[in-house]
Amino acid sequence: MRIITGKYKGRHFEIPRSFKARPTTDFAKENIFNVLTGYIDFEDATALDLFSGTGSITLELLSRGCSQVVSIELDRDHHRFIQECLKKLTANGQQPPAIPIRGDVFRFIKSCKQQFNFIFADPPYAMKELPQIPDLIFERNLLKEEGVFVFEHGKDHDFSHHPHFVEHRQYGSVNFSLFKAEVTTGE
């Protein structure tokens, strides 16, 4: 697993072979982040990485200058690996602005009071609750105005009819649906 660009560009992290997580491929990650540059400026953005797995997206977001990245991962070993990766990025005794949380994504979503500029979710493709995740993000109002939500999923799901859907991208077997929060105008 490598960091594609930013202040940690080129850093590699060896994922233990025992991991069950399916990290987003470097090819897919690089391409989706190229698309995202047209939607969001990551510099000083707040981000949420749901189903963090290996922490690949969290590390990429930190490298691109996010002011805070909250990373949610239930698996104990995966969570520990993310913490170890973050320690390796520590410079001058200062860890990057990440908050790795070991916990259930659905419980976190229900109790979260914070809003984010960017949310990335990469749940297990076979998860039965997968189709409800976009609705939960918007029902709980987790995105700031004009915030972007990227949802990685298998080919069997189509979110093009969702009211916040903006586009779909596919890179090999990896599918991404992009959603955007509306601009609210005060009167």
Side-chain angles (χ1 to χ4, degrees), residues 120-135:
F120 187 94
D122 179 11
Y125 289 179
M127 177 178 275
K128 69 177 178 9
E129 301 91 350
L130 184 144
Q132 288 86 43
I133 293 171
D135 287 335

PDB file of all heavy atoms in Angstrom, residues 120-135:
ATOM      1  N   PHE A 120     -15.632   9.142   2.969  1.00  0.00           N
ATOM      2  CA  PHE A 120     -15.337   7.996   2.120  1.00  0.00           C
ATOM      3  C   PHE A 120     -15.808   6.753   2.855  1.00  0.00           C
ATOM      4  O   PHE A 120     -15.526   6.595   4.040  1.00  0.00           O
ATOM      5  CB  PHE A 120     -13.830   7.893   1.853  1.00  0.00           C
ATOM      6  CG  PHE A 120     -13.458   6.833   0.861  1.00  0.00           C
ATOM      7  CD1 PHE A 120     -13.315   7.147  -0.487  1.00  0.00           C
ATOM      8  CD2 PHE A 120     -13.256   5.515   1.264  1.00  0.00           C
ATOM      9  CE1 PHE A 120     -12.969   6.173  -1.403  1.00  0.00           C
ATOM     10  CE2 PHE A 120     -12.912   4.540   0.346  1.00  0.00           C
ATOM     11  CZ  PHE A 120     -12.769   4.866  -0.989  1.00  0.00           C
ATOM     12  N   ALA A 121     -16.545   5.872   2.164  1.00  0.00           N
ATOM     13  CA  ALA A 121     -16.996   4.620   2.776  1.00  0.00           C
ATOM     14  C   ALA A 121     -16.677   3.465   1.842  1.00  0.00           C
ATOM     15  O   ALA A 121     -17.013   3.506   0.662  1.00  0.00           O
ATOM     16  CB  ALA A 121     -18.490   4.667   3.071  1.00  0.00           C
ATOM     17  N   ASP A 122     -16.036   2.455   2.398  1.00  0.00           N
ATOM     18  CA  ASP A 122     -15.680   1.255   1.642  1.00  0.00           C
ATOM     19  C   ASP A 122     -16.077   0.030   2.460  1.00  0.00           C
ATOM     20  O   ASP A 122     -15.232  -0.670   2.997  1.00  0.00           O
ATOM     21  CB  ASP A 122     -14.174   1.258   1.346  1.00  0.00           C
ATOM     22  CG  ASP A 122     -13.717   0.026   0.577  1.00  0.00           C
ATOM     23  OD1 ASP A 122     -14.579  -0.733   0.085  1.00  0.00           O
ATOM     24  OD2 ASP A 122     -12.499  -0.179   0.477  1.00  0.00           O
ATOM     25  N   PRO A 123     -17.408  -0.226   2.536  1.00  0.00           N
ATOM     26  CA  PRO A 123     -17.864  -1.372   3.326  1.00  0.00           C
ATOM     27  C   PRO A 123     -17.591  -2.690   2.603  1.00  0.00           C
ATOM     28  O   PRO A 123     -17.347  -2.692   1.387  1.00  0.00           O
ATOM     29  CB  PRO A 123     -19.374  -1.130   3.432  1.00  0.00           C
ATOM     30  CG  PRO A 123     -19.709  -0.390   2.187  1.00  0.00           C
ATOM     31  CD  PRO A 123     -18.511   0.490   1.902  1.00  0.00           C
ATOM     32  N   PRO A 124     -17.646  -3.798   3.333  1.00  0.00           N
ATOM     33  CA  PRO A 124     -17.556  -5.092   2.646  1.00  0.00           C
ATOM     34  C   PRO A 124     -18.679  -5.169   1.600  1.00  0.00           C
ATOM     35  O   PRO A 124     -19.825  -4.832   1.883  1.00  0.00           O
ATOM     36  CB  PRO A 124     -17.789  -6.110   3.769  1.00  0.00           C
ATOM     37  CG  PRO A 124     -17.438  -5.377   5.033  1.00  0.00           C
ATOM     38  CD  PRO A 124     -17.787  -3.946   4.778  1.00  0.00           C
ATOM     39  N   TYR A 125     -18.338  -5.577   0.389  1.00  0.00           N
ATOM     40  CA  TYR A 125     -19.313  -5.575  -0.703  1.00  0.00           C
ATOM     41  C   TYR A 125     -20.521  -6.469  -0.413  1.00  0.00           C
ATOM     42  O   TYR A 125     -21.598  -6.233  -0.944  1.00  0.00           O
ATOM     43  CB  TYR A 125     -18.657  -6.033  -2.007  1.00  0.00           C
ATOM     44  CG  TYR A 125     -17.681  -5.043  -2.620  1.00  0.00           C
ATOM     45  CD1 TYR A 125     -17.020  -5.365  -3.792  1.00  0.00           C
ATOM     46  CD2 TYR A 125     -17.411  -3.801  -2.050  1.00  0.00           C
ATOM     47  CE1 TYR A 125     -16.121  -4.480  -4.381  1.00  0.00           C
ATOM     48  CE2 TYR A 125     -16.510  -2.922  -2.621  1.00  0.00           C
ATOM     49  CZ  TYR A 125     -15.868  -3.272  -3.793  1.00  0.00           C
ATOM     50  OH  TYR A 125     -14.987  -2.399  -4.375  1.00  0.00           O
ATOM     51  N   ALA A 126     -20.351  -7.507   0.408  1.00  0.00           N
ATOM     52  CA  ALA A 126     -21.450  -8.432   0.706  1.00  0.00           C
ATOM     53  C   ALA A 126     -22.311  -7.974   1.886  1.00  0.00           C
ATOM     54  O   ALA A 126     -23.298  -8.630   2.220  1.00  0.00           O
ATOM     55  CB  ALA A 126     -20.893  -9.820   0.984  1.00  0.00           C
ATOM     56  N   MET A 127     -21.982  -6.846   2.500  1.00  0.00           N
ATOM     57  CA  MET A 127     -22.728  -6.375   3.666  1.00  0.00           C
ATOM     58  C   MET A 127     -24.190  -6.111   3.294  1.00  0.00           C
ATOM     59  O   MET A 127     -24.477  -5.387   2.351  1.00  0.00           O
ATOM     60  CB  MET A 127     -22.079  -5.089   4.194  1.00  0.00           C
ATOM     61  CG  MET A 127     -22.808  -4.473   5.365  1.00  0.00           C
ATOM     62  SD  MET A 127     -21.954  -3.000   5.942  1.00  0.00           S
ATOM     63  CE  MET A 127     -20.768  -3.770   7.030  1.00  0.00           C
ATOM     64  N   LYS A 128     -25.103  -6.710   4.060  1.00  0.00           N
ATOM     65  CA  LYS A 128     -26.523  -6.579   3.706  1.00  0.00           C
ATOM     66  C   LYS A 128     -27.044  -5.149   3.877  1.00  0.00           C
ATOM     67  O   LYS A 128     -27.962  -4.737   3.184  1.00  0.00           O
ATOM     68  CB  LYS A 128     -27.374  -7.596   4.456  1.00  0.00           C
ATOM     69  CG  LYS A 128     -27.505  -7.385   5.953  1.00  0.00           C
ATOM     70  CD  LYS A 128     -28.426  -8.429   6.551  1.00  0.00           C
ATOM     71  CE  LYS A 128     -28.691  -8.465   7.986  1.00  0.00           C
ATOM     72  NZ  LYS A 128     -28.337  -7.530   8.934  1.00  0.00           N
ATOM     73  N   GLU A 129     -26.436  -4.362   4.759  1.00  0.00           N
ATOM     74  CA  GLU A 129     -26.884  -2.980   4.977  1.00  0.00           C
ATOM     75  C   GLU A 129     -26.269  -1.997   3.975  1.00  0.00           C
ATOM     76  O   GLU A 129     -26.582  -0.807   4.010  1.00  0.00           O
ATOM     77  CB  GLU A 129     -26.505  -2.508   6.384  1.00  0.00           C
ATOM     78  CG  GLU A 129     -27.068  -3.325   7.516  1.00  0.00           C
ATOM     79  CD  GLU A 129     -26.121  -4.465   7.960  1.00  0.00           C
ATOM     80  OE1 GLU A 129     -25.121  -4.738   7.281  1.00  0.00           O
ATOM     81  OE2 GLU A 129     -26.428  -5.079   8.989  1.00  0.00           O
ATOM     82  N   LEU A 130     -25.413  -2.470   3.090  1.00  0.00           N
ATOM     83  CA  LEU A 130     -24.698  -1.591   2.164  1.00  0.00           C
ATOM     84  C   LEU A 130     -25.623  -0.613   1.422  1.00  0.00           C
ATOM     85  O   LEU A 130     -25.329   0.579   1.370  1.00  0.00           O
ATOM     86  CB  LEU A 130     -23.880  -2.427   1.175  1.00  0.00           C
ATOM     87  CG  LEU A 130     -22.997  -1.661   0.190  1.00  0.00           C
ATOM     88  CD1 LEU A 130     -21.712  -2.431  -0.068  1.00  0.00           C
ATOM     89  CD2 LEU A 130     -23.691  -1.403  -1.125  1.00  0.00           C
ATOM     90  N   PRO A 131     -26.749  -1.046   0.863  1.00  0.00           N
ATOM     91  CA  PRO A 131     -27.593  -0.109   0.099  1.00  0.00           C
ATOM     92  C   PRO A 131     -28.153   1.061   0.915  1.00  0.00           C
ATOM     93  O   PRO A 131     -28.493   2.096   0.355  1.00  0.00           O
ATOM     94  CB  PRO A 131     -28.732  -0.983  -0.425  1.00  0.00           C
ATOM     95  CG  PRO A 131     -28.197  -2.376  -0.399  1.00  0.00           C
ATOM     96  CD  PRO A 131     -27.256  -2.417   0.772  1.00  0.00           C
ATOM     97  N   GLN A 132     -28.217   0.935   2.230  1.00  0.00           N
ATOM     98  CA  GLN A 132     -28.780   2.002   3.072  1.00  0.00           C
ATOM     99  C   GLN A 132     -27.761   3.068   3.464  1.00  0.00           C
ATOM    100  O   GLN A 132     -28.125   4.130   3.968  1.00  0.00           O
ATOM    101  CB  GLN A 132     -29.394   1.417   4.355  1.00  0.00           C
ATOM    102  CG  GLN A 132     -30.674   0.652   4.157  1.00  0.00           C
ATOM    103  CD  GLN A 132     -30.426  -0.803   3.802  1.00  0.00           C
ATOM    104  OE1 GLN A 132     -29.574  -1.450   4.396  1.00  0.00           O
ATOM    105  NE2 GLN A 132     -31.159  -1.318   2.830  1.00  0.00           N
ATOM    106  N   ILE A 133     -26.477   2.812   3.248  1.00  0.00           N
ATOM    107  CA  ILE A 133     -25.442   3.714   3.745  1.00  0.00           C
ATOM    108  C   ILE A 133     -25.563   5.141   3.194  1.00  0.00           C
ATOM    109  O   ILE A 133     -25.517   6.098   3.971  1.00  0.00           O
ATOM    110  CB  ILE A 133     -24.036   3.113   3.543  1.00  0.00           C
ATOM    111  CG1 ILE A 133     -23.892   1.873   4.445  1.00  0.00           C
ATOM    112  CG2 ILE A 133     -22.945   4.137   3.835  1.00  0.00           C
ATOM    113  CD1 ILE A 133     -22.640   1.047   4.210  1.00  0.00           C
ATOM    114  N   PRO A 134     -25.764   5.349   1.884  1.00  0.00           N
ATOM    115  CA  PRO A 134     -25.913   6.744   1.417  1.00  0.00           C
ATOM    116  C   PRO A 134     -27.063   7.484   2.117  1.00  0.00           C
ATOM    117  O   PRO A 134     -26.905   8.642   2.504  1.00  0.00           O
ATOM    118  CB  PRO A 134     -26.159   6.598  -0.090  1.00  0.00           C
ATOM    119  CG  PRO A 134     -25.481   5.318  -0.436  1.00  0.00           C
ATOM    120  CD  PRO A 134     -25.722   4.415   0.747  1.00  0.00           C
ATOM    121  N   ASP A 135     -28.205   6.806   2.296  1.00  0.00           N
ATOM    122  CA  ASP A 135     -29.329   7.448   2.979  1.00  0.00           C
ATOM    123  C   ASP A 135     -28.957   7.825   4.410  1.00  0.00           C
ATOM    124  O   ASP A 135     -29.305   8.917   4.882  1.00  0.00           O
ATOM    125  CB  ASP A 135     -30.555   6.522   2.996  1.00  0.00           C
ATOM    126  CG  ASP A 135     -31.217   6.414   1.636  1.00  0.00           C
ATOM    127  OD1 ASP A 135     -31.066   7.347   0.814  1.00  0.00           O
ATOM    128  OD2 ASP A 135     -31.885   5.393   1.389  1.00  0.00           O
TER     129      ASP A 135
END
